[in-house]
Amino acid sequence: MRKSYQVIFGVLLLLLLGGCAGGNGDDPAKTDPGAAGTSPAQEESSPIFITFEATDLEGNTVSEEVFTRSRLTMVNVWATYCNPCLREMPGLGQLSAEYDPGEVQIIGVVSDVREGEDQSLVESLVQQTGADYPHLLANASIDRALLASVSGVPTTFFFDGEGAYLGGVVGSADRSKWEELIHELLEKM
């Protein structure tokens, strides 16, 4: 009986250490970027627009209007405890710096730190990973708009310049895979 508990504990430990969303970074599950897949907190067949209002790490208010600043917006939902999230953030920081902000922008959403809570760990992780792009803190509005449809972190959503949902990815990916997906989406827009 004791050995079965040790086996169960071992399997659970491996699952916990293996990633936060079940992805290993090699082949993230993704929707077809050319199709309007299941939207965050929306039905598949409805027009796909979200509304939200949140605060970034500098205390600025950010709403869905942020989508109009760029042709393509990549919203990466992450958590401070998620190693796959933290491993992909340096590549996302590099991509953010390389793209013209009018063409592609990256926004992080911190799923486990809420507005009004101590954000010093978030700020430290952003600095350590070089993820120098806006990061929003969770609140009720972000919960309804995005987090309600997140089954694990990291999860990444793509929106066009009007805020229409273009697709999403559950799991982490390296910089080159994100760049490839971004190019596919831009070509189809």
Side-chain angles (χ1 to χ4, degrees):
M1 185 72 133
R2 184 176 176 154
K3 282 193 175 195
S4 65
Y5 284 120
Q6 290 173 336
V7 170
I8 291 170
F9 177 75
V11 169
L12 289 174
L13 184 62
L14 285 173
L15 288 172
L16 287 172
L17 294 175
C20 308
N24 64 3
D26 293 333
D27 188 21
K30 68 178 181 177
T31 62
D32 178 1
T38 305
S39 164
Q42 298 285 330
E43 292 294 319
E44 186 171 346
S45 61
S46 67
I48 306 167
F49 298 92
I50 63 170
T51 60
F52 67 89
E53 188 171 287
T55 304
D56 67 14
L57 296 179
E58 285 77 42
N60 301 311
T61 300
V62 178
S63 72
E64 68 278 356
E65 303 262 329
V66 73
F67 297 139
T68 64
R69 296 181 190 158
S70 186
R71 263 185 80 206
L72 179 67
T73 299
M74 178 180 185
V75 178
N76 179 257
V77 180
W78 64 282
T80 59
Y81 59 82
C82 173
N83 287 327
C85 300
L86 299 174
R87 279 194 301 268
E88 77 177 348
M89 287 169 64
L92 295 177
Q94 293 168 358
L95 287 173
S96 178
E98 290 174 12
Y99 281 101
D100 177 331
E103 190 73 6
V104 176
Q105 67 179 331
I106 299 174
I107 298 172
V109 174
V110 190
S111 63
D112 66 327
V113 177
R114 307 206 48 91
E115 288 180 4
E117 293 180 356
D118 182 11
Q119 63 188 45
S120 59
L121 176 59
V122 175
E123 292 167 348
S124 175
L125 292 171
V126 166
Q127 183 178 17
Q128 288 172 24
T129 60
D132 190 25
Y133 46 86
H135 295 270
L136 307 180
L137 300 172
N139 64 18
S141 179
I142 289 288
D143 291 347
R144 284 187 302 276
L146 291 169
L147 298 182
S149 60
V150 172
S151 61
V153 289
T155 293
T156 304
F157 302 108
F158 292 91
F159 298 91
D160 71 12
E162 295 178 356
Y165 178 71
L166 301 175
V169 175
V170 177
S172 64
D174 65 22
R175 180 180 173 272
S176 64
K177 289 187 181 188
W178 285 128
E179 190 169 31
E180 183 180 317
L181 182 56
I182 288 168
H183 284 291
E184 285 177 32
L185 289 166
L186 288 172
E187 285 178 9
K188 293 181 179 187
M189 294 176 75

